[in-house]
Amino acid sequence: MLNASLKELSTELSQRKISSVELTKLFLARIDALNGKLNAFITIDAEKTLAQARTADARIAKGAAQALTGIPVAHKDIFVARDWLTTCGSKILSNFIGPYDAHLIERFNGAGAVLLGKTNMDEFAMGSSSESSFYGPVKNPWDPDRVPGGSSGGSAAAVAARMAPAATGTDTGGSIRQPAALSGVCGLKPTYGLVSRYGMIAFASSLDQAGPFAKSAEDLALLLNVIAGFDPRDSTSIEREPEDYTRELDKPLSGLRVGVPKEHFGEGLAADVGKAVEAALAHLEKLGAKRVPIELPNSSLSVPAYYVIAPAEASSNLSRFDGARYGYRAKDYKDLADMYRRTRAEGFGAEVRRRILIGTYVLSHGYYDAYYLKAQKVRRLIANDFAEAFKRCDIVVGPTSPTVAFKIGAKTSDPVQMYLNDIYTIPANLAGLPAASIPCGFGAGGLPVGLHLVGNYFAEAKLLNVAHQYQKSTDWHRREPEGLKS
Amino acid sequence: MPLTPEEVRRIAELARIGISDAETRTIQGELNNIFELIGRMQKVDTEGIAPMTHAQGLALRLRPDKVTESDQRELFLSLAPQKEAGLYLVPKVIE
């Protein structure tokens, strides 16, 4: 049951072979057994969770079930959920009980899914290793001495270790796809604006996008069906007709033009990762796809531009954490300014402080044109590169991350090395394009490698089609970490 | 151009984040490494390129002038570090 797909779980539930309460208890027991080792969850509240499972069972009994009714789903602790502690991985929100539900949480509640728990993450989603959490680092289920990737590392680890059948995350520069790759699961960042940001604690508003983690592309499609859609409470939410993201899953890939960007196969790409990705490309060709060499010439500028835009937006978004209205407040202070300084010095971790400082500097008087405006122009160049590429291909395919999972502590003392983990994922955020990572093999040390798929705007169904066809004829996505076999 | 310790202190003050003298040195080094990375974008020619503020060319939506929020004062105040008489309490700013 721990290994079942969402479709299988849904069938079991609707045929009354298992109740939602029983299913939820199985996952809670699994979490209980493994969380001490992996630290994937910040908050578990069995009582609240099981109450929701009982409600789901009543709904199933009435014959009013939807696809995900009764299925437990873990949520990144960046989504505000009513009556749940919502920390964003930070000390500054360590006492913050959600006073309302995020749009994404509302959608899952409406679908009758069960909130299984809140997952651990890099503080304020700033990181690529899930080590900067106030609640301690998340461990990679494939090797607990290694990071699971980040920032949504808790969600990725939870799915990889079968502690949750599915989970949610957010992706500002790769925070869904990179942990999916390093933890050997599937993750999808939808087109910017497809999933409402309402109640998702803001990091960089022009880049942040929520998305699902699961064991297969088919499961991702079912999850996206629940969370996508217009919400007037997010000013950048896009108004468009709802889609069924499962509709193209079974289309054959014959004639598909797969764009392979040479810039993502050059210096910096580890040989083991390159080998697994090459094998996956060959497999797509075997399925009828055509390989098209493409260029993303400004790709190398994406990390520099991102580290202006994201911190600039973060410095503005995080100004709300001042100790006045909610969250942590410093104990001793002499006046209001001192209360702010101490609260923010004590409440934010080193990486968050660092990014606020970068953002404050690039937006400060006299530097705006040289940094922020320049970065926005570079952002346009990167988006234009993709626009050119999509004239010649249907999907862009490459590695998600330059290496397999690295050792805990290996990059914490060198922020620049940490930032370069996201070199292949950041361009899709800057352009606003949908992108996914799916397992495509193993590298050194038996650690998972992720295949990165980038689609054109709103081409999620196509992305999931390619991923599903790949998964129908391979079994990388079914592999489980040795030693944690469910 | 590398940041000086004075600039680091000035930025920290703008951001309302207290930093000690010992931290100033470390932060200065880290920020300078990051700005070296950021500096790589300066070499590309962006003459005549329109800045991209956003992934989607969206205009702000208008909505009908109707009340959509209910009064949740008690709920929100329950999260406050300090409160008094239905108000958030902070140190006195006007003598």
Side-chain angles (χ1 to χ4, degrees):
Chain A
M1 208 56 84
L2 295 172
N3 247 319
S5 72
L6 296 184
K7 212 177 183 176
E8 286 163 352
L9 290 178
S10 188
T11 307
E12 295 285 309
L13 286 162
S14 65
Q15 293 179 353
R16 316 293 289 276
K17 288 186 180 152
I18 191 168
S19 69
S20 173
V21 168
E22 289 163 339
L23 181 66
T24 304
K25 280 182 173 167
L26 277 180
F27 282 102
L28 285 171
R30 179 86 175 159
I31 294 168
D32 201 39
L34 292 180
N35 200 47
K37 187 172 176 177
L38 300 175
N39 201 26
F41 286 83
I42 293 174
T43 305
I44 292 293
D45 187 332
E47 206 176 301
K48 268 207 227 36
T49 298
L50 289 171
Q52 227 183 347
R54 282 191 290 275
T55 307
D57 280 330
R59 182 167 167 180
I60 294 166
K62 276 195 304 193
Q66 294 176 7
L68 296 191
T69 305
I71 295 177
V73 179
H75 295 295
K76 186 178 186 179
D77 207 18
I78 198 168
F79 295 104
V80 178
R82 186 179 264 268
D83 297 331
W84 282 82
L85 178 68
T86 300
T87 70
C88 218
S90 183
K91 181 180 178 182
I92 213 158
L93 285 175
S94 54
N95 58 2
F96 183 74
I97 307 293
Y100 66 98
D101 282 323
H103 178 82
L104 176 141
I105 300 286
E106 274 180 1
R107 284 297 187 92
F108 276 109
N109 288 345
V114 174
L115 201 172
L116 185 57
K118 305 292 291 289
T119 61
N120 202 352
M121 54 181 284
D122 277 304
E123 185 181 7
F124 283 101
M126 296 176 188
S128 309
S129 67
S130 301
E131 292 171 284
S132 74
S133 170
F134 176 61
Y135 300 89
V138 183
K139 317 285 173 64
N140 190 317
W142 296 87
D143 176 355
D145 291 335
R146 291 175 189 269
V147 304
S151 66
S152 316
S155 288
V159 174
R162 310 305 191 240
M163 296 155 92
T168 58
T170 57
D171 191 314
T172 304
S175 282
I176 289 174
R177 294 160 287 153
Q178 187 258 9
L182 270 48
S183 299
V185 297
C186 306
L188 171 72
K189 179 201 91 72
T191 304
Y192 181 83
L194 196 64
V195 180
S196 169
R197 292 182 292 109
Y198 179 78
M200 187 175 116
I201 297 169
F203 161 15
S205 304
S206 80
L207 303 164
D208 297 342
Q209 181 59 208
F213 284 94
K215 298 187 291 293
S216 71
E218 182 187 58
D219 286 0
L220 291 179
L222 291 169
L223 293 157
L224 188 59
N225 277 350
V226 170
I227 61 177
F230 177 64
D231 174 18
R233 298 168 299 185
D234 170 359
S235 63
T236 58
S237 175
I238 290 165
E239 256 181 296
R240 59 200 309 278
E241 283 298 305
E243 290 180 46
D244 174 8
Y245 294 100
T246 65
R247 71 182 189 279
E248 287 186 28
L249 289 177
D250 290 319
K251 263 177 74 172
L253 298 188
S254 48
L256 179 85
R257 296 169 303 165
V258 173
V260 182
K262 68 168 200 263
E263 293 81 3
H264 291 194
F265 289 83
E267 198 192 334
L269 178 65
D272 56 341
V273 174
K275 204 173 143 197
V277 171
E278 279 297 342
L281 284 165
H283 189 83
L284 290 175
E285 284 184 280
K286 225 171 72 187
L287 295 176
K290 273 203 315 262
R291 190 174 168 144
V292 182
I294 58 157
E295 286 178 20
L296 298 172
N298 293 293
S299 216
S300 68
L301 303 174
S302 62
V303 176
Y306 176 86
Y307 277 96
V308 172
I309 293 168
E313 295 181 12
S315 72
S316 165
N317 275 324
L318 272 62
S319 64
R320 65 177 59 119
F321 301 103
D322 57 5
R325 291 153 301 155
Y326 50 81
Y328 172 83
R329 180 189 288 192
K331 296 280 164 294
D332 306 302
Y333 41 86
K334 21 180 232 291
D335 53 30
L336 185 64
D338 197 43
M339 182 187 98
Y340 292 152
R341 279 188 220 105
R342 286 175 190 254
T343 294
R344 290 162 65 80
E346 295 168 18
F348 291 134
E351 181 59 23
V352 174
R353 290 199 300 263
R354 200 177 287 139
R355 296 209 197 179
I356 292 174
L357 294 175
I358 299 167
T360 304
Y361 181 70
V362 299
L363 292 178
S364 66
H365 183 71
Y367 297 99
Y368 182 89
D369 285 5
Y371 290 109
Y372 196 63
L373 196 65
K374 179 78 182 181
Q376 287 187 322
K377 290 178 176 180
V378 172
R379 184 176 184 178
R380 171 84 59 197
L381 293 177
I382 287 159
N384 288 349
D385 284 352
F386 278 108
E388 277 306 308
F390 283 121
K391 287 179 186 163
R392 300 198 291 125
C393 67
D394 305 305
I395 186 166
V396 173
V397 178
T400 306
S401 185
T403 66
V404 294
F406 45 92
K407 285 262 168 74
I408 290 174
K411 298 186 181 184
T412 38
S413 60
D414 187 347
V416 169
Q417 283 312 306
M418 188 69 92
Y419 297 172
L420 291 170
N421 277 301
D422 293 330
I423 189 155
Y424 305 138
T425 49
I426 284 175
N429 296 88
L430 291 172
L433 294 164
S437 180
I438 60 169
C440 72
F442 294 89
L447 294 161
V449 175
L451 185 71
H452 194 219
L453 313 166
V454 185
N456 213 337
Y457 298 102
F458 305 109
E460 282 81 1
K462 164 69 62 195
L463 268 187
L464 294 165
N465 164 230
V466 176
H468 181 64
Q469 290 303 310
Y470 178 79
Q471 293 183 333
K472 259 173 64 178
S473 50
T474 57
D475 73 343
W476 302 117
H477 64 295
R478 295 186 202 283
R479 306 291 183 89
E480 274 183 88
E482 286 295 328
L484 301 178
K485 280 259 165 74
S486 54
Chain B
M1 85 249 89
L3 295 177
T4 62
E6 290 67 37
E7 278 173 308
V8 172
R9 278 192 286 271
R10 185 182 65 88
I11 304 164
E13 181 52 26
L14 285 173
R16 298 293 185 271
I17 294 175
I19 54 171
S20 68
D21 287 342
E23 284 172 320
T24 306
R25 287 281 163 200
T26 321
I27 293 170
Q28 181 196 5
E30 288 166 348
L31 293 190
N32 280 329
N33 285 339
I34 296 166
F35 277 104
E36 201 181 298
L37 171 77
I38 289 171
R40 292 182 202 168
M41 72 175 184
Q42 302 296 353
K43 66 172 191 268
V44 68
D45 182 11
T46 49
E47 187 67 36
I49 303 292
M52 181 171 166
T53 53
H54 214 272
Q56 310 284 350
L58 293 173
L60 281 178
R61 280 189 299 274
L62 295 175
R63 61 169 176 81
D65 186 15
K66 274 197 278 196
V67 176
T68 55
E69 294 290 321
S70 56
D71 179 4
Q72 302 189 71
R73 185 181 184 129
E74 288 307 314
L75 176 63
F76 294 146
L77 268 175
S78 72
L79 295 164
Q82 265 190 294
K83 54 189 176 283
E84 200 175 287
L87 300 167
Y88 294 114
L89 202 62
V90 295
K92 195 150 80 172
V93 281
I94 303 166
E95 289 302 325

